[in-house]
């Protein structure tokens, strides 16, 4: 392995974890990304949770930075089953984000693509990416710089709500703007 | 034989949660009508008393779960011999047992010395007579070993009771979620935590020698593939390209990982040389190409692609990169896994019943649905090919299920809390 690039990744991960500890953004781990931290199967019942995370903000909706002045408040748009096309009702939401990003060239946003739970997980990872890519294309056409946009697909791994019914599925098929 | 066809008997077994909270329990949901009746007598302990773990019960549960055996209940045991010399074959014919297991144990310090014997009732002969010595806290492992010997002696197929499973648990929704990767014995017991995170973990895959797991973790808030050594706990990040880093699959020689990477714009199949850290792109399409799995001979990869519209399975010749479509039944076939003999594929098929585990014979291309649940995912085949473990839904919870390769027998491994999914059956470990 290329140790240098791995070490760089670790440093990045550690700094991400630090950032997470200071800000309100949830979801990162509280450090110890040291590459040797997995608890071994041979370990004597040592159920060590090395990447054990705390620091959740406990809030609903999209994760957001503490300084979010001017960022449009609606940060989630929804998709039809098996589709990645932008529903016309959400174009105004995307336009508002596009306007914000154009006027704040230093702002960056992660477009988190999500699917409902039906189907296989890794294929859904691809479908979630398609939805986020579709938003990214829309934003680019609106003049947002590609450097401000990043796509991360979560597939079906982070449902907004739990439940095996169409209402839950509809809430989970979404792209979230995460600043 | 007992007619168990289509009988939905809910037998709650092994409820003693002695280990971590994430131990899984087992519910038999479908018995096979072709199961072989076998009598398993509780082991006699020298000086009286009983073993700290009921070895005969562990053997009985293992054999029943395989779908190939129908162990007699304890109250229908006509006698309690502890050695073949005490066995009256006529007695056991009278209760329709085809086979009989007896055993006796002696305590020696912190160990038990156990003799177990397997008898063919109609042949009136002893098939196995073996002495096993075990630490008192390793009695379940000893019972799994004996189960393997009995299973192989009768079916001719190597037993897979001493193997392990990896799986992922999750709790919560939205921003407040907890994920954990576990490994446990094949019967769900003896679970050990490998990794916990507030970000998703998925797609665990065992190395062919059973010493490592590759998996996808979002712990940096981006997906990356990690390889973790289970003995040393050493962990390396194998890939962290922009976009999807997913679906790792070990080549049979353990030197390469097939995976899906979307750094080119859409998910493509890549093969990584693990030692050299070099990557070869295997597919070139504008579709989603993911969920690779190697054929047992290492010459082919089956993968999911929606290049024709919906997801279907395709087989690629690794050397030439020639691709051939394999599935044509219905509009959703995904996540294929070869059987160990390479003659069939296990996959997720969407039909009228929803998403179900199916088997496709690669000779005839005939597809057979194996389950009657409706939200199945992630089939993983036992190393002897006899069973497939998969994830499914029970109520609002994700649980693991297993079905015999012929679909005749099924059981579930529900968890005490949270969702359980992404099961991966280990290779043979000894």
């Amino acid at each position: 392995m290329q140790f240098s690039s791995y070490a760089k990744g670790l440093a990045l991960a550690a700094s991400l974890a630090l950032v997470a500890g200071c800000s309100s953004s949830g979801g990162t781990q509280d450090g110890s990304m040291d590459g040797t931290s997995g608890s071994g199967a041979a370990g004597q019942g040592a159920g060590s949770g090395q990447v054990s995370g705390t620091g959740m903000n406990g809030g609903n909706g999209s994760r957001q930075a503490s300084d979010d002045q001017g960022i449009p408040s609606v940060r989630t748009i929804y998709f039809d089953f098996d589709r990645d096309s932008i529903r016309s009702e959400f174009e105004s939401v995307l336009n508002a984000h596009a306007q914000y990003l154009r006027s704040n060239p230093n702002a960056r946003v992660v477009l988190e693509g999500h699917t409902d739970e039906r189907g296989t997980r890794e294929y859904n990872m691809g479908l979630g990416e398609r939805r986020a890519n579709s938003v990214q294309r829309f934003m680019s056409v609106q003049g947002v710089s590609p450097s401000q946009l990043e796509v991360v697909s979560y597939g079906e791994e982070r449902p907004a709500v739990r439940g095996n019914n169409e209402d839950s599925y509809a809430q989970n098929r979404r792209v979230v703007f995460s600043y | 034989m007992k007619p168990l066809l289509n009988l939905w008997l809910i037998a709650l077994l092994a409820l003693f949660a002695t280990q971590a909270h994430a131990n899984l329990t087992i519910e038999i949901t479908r018995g096979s009508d072709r199961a072989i009746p076998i009598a398993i007598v509780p082991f006699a302990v020298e000086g009286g008393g009983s073993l700290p773990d009921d070895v005969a019960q562990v053997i009985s549960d293992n054999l029943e779960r395989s779908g190939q055996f129908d162990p007699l209940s304890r109250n229908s045991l006509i006698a309690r011999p502890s050695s073949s010399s005490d066995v009256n074959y006529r007695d056991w014919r009278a209760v329709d047992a085809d086979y009989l297991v007896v055993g006796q144990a002696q305590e020696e310090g912190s160990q038990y010395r156990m003799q177990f014997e397997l008898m063919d009732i109609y042949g009136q002969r002893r098939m196995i007579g073996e002495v096993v010595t075990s630490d008192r806290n390793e009695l379940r492992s000893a019972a799994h070993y004996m189960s393997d010997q009995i299973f192989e002696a009768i079916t001719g197929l190597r037993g897979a009771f001493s193997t392990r499973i990896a799986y992922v648990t999750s709790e919560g929704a939205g921003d407040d979620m907890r994920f954990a990767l576990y490994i446990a014995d094949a019967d769900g017991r003896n679970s050990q935590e490998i990794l916990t995170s507030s970000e998703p973990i998925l797609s665990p895959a065992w190395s062919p020698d059973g010493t490592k797991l590759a998996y996808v973790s979002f712990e940096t808030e981006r997906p990356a593939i990690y390889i973790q050594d289970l003995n040393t706990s050493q962990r390396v990040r194998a890939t962290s390209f922009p976009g999807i880093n997913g679906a790792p699959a070990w080549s049979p020689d353990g030197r390469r990982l097939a995976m899906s990477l979307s750094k080119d714009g859409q998910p493509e199949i890549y093969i990584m040389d693990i030692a050299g850290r070099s990557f070869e792109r295997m597919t070139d399409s504008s579709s989603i190409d993911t969920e690779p799995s190697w054929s047992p001979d290492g010459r082919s990869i089956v993968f999911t692609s929606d290049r024709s519209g919906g997801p279907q399975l395709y087989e690629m010749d690794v050397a030439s990169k020639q691709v051939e479509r394999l599935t044509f039944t219905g509009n959703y076939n995904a996540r294929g896994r070869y059987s160990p003999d390479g003659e069939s594929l296990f996959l997720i098929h969407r039909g009228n019943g929803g998403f179900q585990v199916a088997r496709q014979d690669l000779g005839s291309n005939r597809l057979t649905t194996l389950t009657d649940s409706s939200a199945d995912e992630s089939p993983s085949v036992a190393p002897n090919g006899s069973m497939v473990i998969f994830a499914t839904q029970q109520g609002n919870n994700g649980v693991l299920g297993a079905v015999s390769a012929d679909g005749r027998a099924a059981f579930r491994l529900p968890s005490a809390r949270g969702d359980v999914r992404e099961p991966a059956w280990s290779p043979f470990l000894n």
Side-chain angles (χ1 to χ4, degrees):
Chain A
M1 61 174 275
Q2 295 166 341
F3 186 77
S4 58
S5 70
Y6 182 52
K8 213 164 78 182
L10 289 178
L12 175 66
S15 62
L16 279 173
L18 278 176
V19 169
C22 309
S23 78
S24 64
S25 75
T28 42
Q29 295 73 35
D30 55 358
S32 63
M33 278 285 304
D34 63 2
T36 60
S37 55
S39 66
Q44 273 279 36
S48 66
Q50 58 303 318
V51 192
S52 56
T54 48
M56 309 300 309
N57 61 11
N60 297 320
S62 62
R63 290 174 261 175
Q64 46 194 267
S66 51
D67 178 17
D68 59 355
Q69 286 200 338
I71 299 177
S73 57
V74 178
R75 298 182 193 173
T76 305
I77 68 165
Y78 299 94
F79 290 78
D80 290 335
F81 173 66
D82 212 18
R83 299 297 295 273
D84 60 9
S85 50
I86 309 289
R87 278 150 58 175
S88 55
E89 66 203 272
F90 293 116
E91 286 181 9
S92 60
V93 175
L94 299 195
N95 285 328
H97 284 280
Q99 188 175 2
Y100 171 80
L101 288 163
R102 281 196 309 269
S103 7
N104 295 275
N106 293 325
R108 286 176 53 83
V109 65
V110 173
L111 305 171
E112 299 177 357
H114 300 270
T115 69
D116 67 37
E117 68 183 38
R118 292 171 292 178
T120 62
R121 289 180 180 273
E122 290 281 6
Y123 182 65
N124 280 344
M125 206 57 82
L127 293 179
E129 186 179 69
R130 255 185 206 158
R131 286 185 177 138
N133 281 342
S134 163
V135 172
Q136 183 183 43
R137 276 194 302 276
F138 188 101
M139 303 295 279
S140 299
V141 169
Q142 300 299 311
V144 176
S145 162
S147 65
Q148 292 177 276
L149 305 167
E150 185 186 356
V151 162
V152 174
S153 176
Y154 282 89
E156 62 176 286
E157 304 305 316
R158 276 196 170 277
V161 296
R162 286 170 56 97
N164 307 321
N165 52 62
E166 185 43 51
D167 185 47
S168 304
Y169 298 151
Q171 291 184 67
N172 290 334
R173 293 190 299 264
R174 69 204 194 277
V175 168
V176 177
F177 285 75
S178 181
Y179 284 92
Chain B
M1 289 191 195
K2 292 191 178 172
L4 290 177
L5 180 63
N6 291 333
L7 243 187
W8 287 75
L9 66 103
I10 308 297
L12 209 59
L13 306 171
L15 258 176
F16 314 100
T18 56
Q19 280 271 331
H21 64 273
N23 271 345
L24 306 172
T25 53
I26 290 190
E27 298 172 7
I28 305 278
T29 52
R30 194 192 312 161
S32 170
D33 58 330
R34 289 191 186 164
I36 300 165
I38 184 169
I40 301 158
V41 178
F43 283 24
V45 181
E46 192 182 67
S50 55
L51 290 167
D53 276 304
D54 189 337
V55 168
Q57 189 65 52
V58 174
I59 295 171
S60 176
D61 293 347
N62 281 341
L63 295 178
E64 180 175 18
R65 219 169 43 243
S66 76
Q68 305 200 31
F69 290 90
D70 179 20
L72 271 64
S73 73
R74 285 219 166 147
N75 16 355
S76 53
L77 297 178
I78 198 159
R80 300 228 167 174
S82 59
S83 131
S84 53
S85 53
D86 304 336
V87 170
N88 181 338
Y89 286 97
R90 196 182 308 157
D91 286 351
W92 297 99
R93 276 203 298 272
V95 293
D96 286 333
D98 287 4
Y99 297 92
L100 170 68
V101 176
V102 301
Q104 50 188 309
Q106 293 168 285
E107 194 168 4
E108 292 180 348
S110 64
Q111 293 191 317
Y112 280 95
R113 183 179 182 277
M114 292 175 284
Q115 175 182 279
F116 81 102
E117 295 172 283
L118 168 67
M119 267 75 66
D120 172 356
I121 297 300
Y122 288 89
Q124 299 203 19
R125 65 187 180 103
R126 190 175 84 154
M127 301 172 71
I128 297 178
E130 192 173 333
V131 172
V132 175
T133 302
S134 161
D135 282 347
R136 62 181 294 123
N137 56 5
E138 296 283 336
L139 286 172
R140 292 188 67 90
S141 296
H144 294 323
Y145 170 80
M146 295 178 202
S147 307
D148 286 339
Q149 304 309 307
I150 295 163
F151 185 86
E152 182 164 358
I154 296 173
T155 68
L157 193 64
R158 186 171 174 186
F161 303 110
S162 301
T163 55
R164 310 204 82 192
I165 49 172
Y167 56 91
V168 174
T169 62
S170 83
E171 294 180 69
D175 285 354
D176 190 6
M177 292 189 74
R178 301 285 308 147
F179 299 85
L181 173 63
Y182 285 91
I183 58 176
D185 291 347
D187 61 1
R189 301 288 290 269
N190 196 24
S191 65
Q192 291 172 275
E193 200 174 86
I194 299 300
L195 182 75
T196 66
S197 178
S198 52
E199 293 287 341
I201 302 168
L202 71 158
S203 297
W206 292 85
S207 63
D209 64 1
T211 64
K212 299 185 188 75
L213 277 183
Y215 54 83
V216 176
S217 168
F218 279 65
E219 64 200 51
T220 64
E221 298 194 343
R222 302 290 182 274
I225 296 174
Y226 297 81
I227 297 176
Q228 184 162 332
D229 188 303
L230 296 172
N231 296 317
T232 66
S233 307
Q234 291 280 344
R235 198 167 80 119
V236 295
R237 183 165 13 207
T239 74
S240 52
F241 291 105
I244 291 170
N245 295 257
W250 299 82
S251 62
D253 64 7
R255 292 180 186 162
R256 292 163 291 169
L257 270 188
M259 60 185 65
S260 180
L261 302 172
S262 71
K263 63 193 180 70
D264 309 303
Q266 64 287 319
E268 303 283 0
I269 305 295
Y270 274 80
I271 291 178
M272 175 191 187
D273 179 278
I274 296 171
R277 295 188 76 79
S278 60
F279 293 83
E280 185 179 5
R281 182 170 166 174
M282 303 302 290
T283 54
D284 185 4
S285 77
S286 57
S287 60
I288 295 171
D289 294 334
T290 187
E291 301 173 338
S293 170
W294 296 76
S295 64
D297 65 9
R299 289 182 189 164
S300 306
I301 286 175
V302 68
F303 63 98
T304 307
S305 176
D306 59 6
R307 57 188 65 190
S308 66
Q312 296 290 346
L313 293 181
Y314 294 78
E315 188 172 54
M316 170 185 291
D317 178 75
V318 173
S320 68
K321 299 185 186 174
Q322 287 290 319
V323 169
E324 181 190 357
R325 180 169 165 180
L326 293 180
T327 52
F328 294 90
T329 310
N331 57 13
Y332 196 114
N333 294 292
R335 225 266 193 186
R337 290 287 184 273
Y338 288 94
S339 62
D341 62 11
E343 290 177 4
S344 53
L345 281 180
F346 296 95
L347 59 129
I348 295 298
H349 167 72
R350 185 176 65 193
N352 294 333
F355 295 87
Q356 298 177 315
V357 177
R359 186 188 71 244
Q360 180 160 321
D361 183 285
L362 287 175
S364 66
N365 276 342
R366 186 160 158 264
L367 186 135
T368 310
T369 301
L370 301 180
T371 58
D372 39 27
S373 33
S374 62
D376 300 345
E377 291 181 340
S378 311
S380 176
V381 192
N384 66 358
S386 66
M387 300 289 293
V388 179
I389 194 165
F390 58 97
T392 189
Q393 293 278 324
Q394 186 165 290
N396 269 337
N397 288 321
V399 299
L400 302 186
V403 63
S404 60
D406 62 7
R408 288 176 180 277
F411 65 89
R412 289 209 172 147
L413 297 112
S415 159
R417 63 175 201 193
D419 288 320
V420 190
R421 72 277 190 106
E422 294 285 86
W425 210 313
S426 80
F428 290 117
L429 298 173
N430 42 21

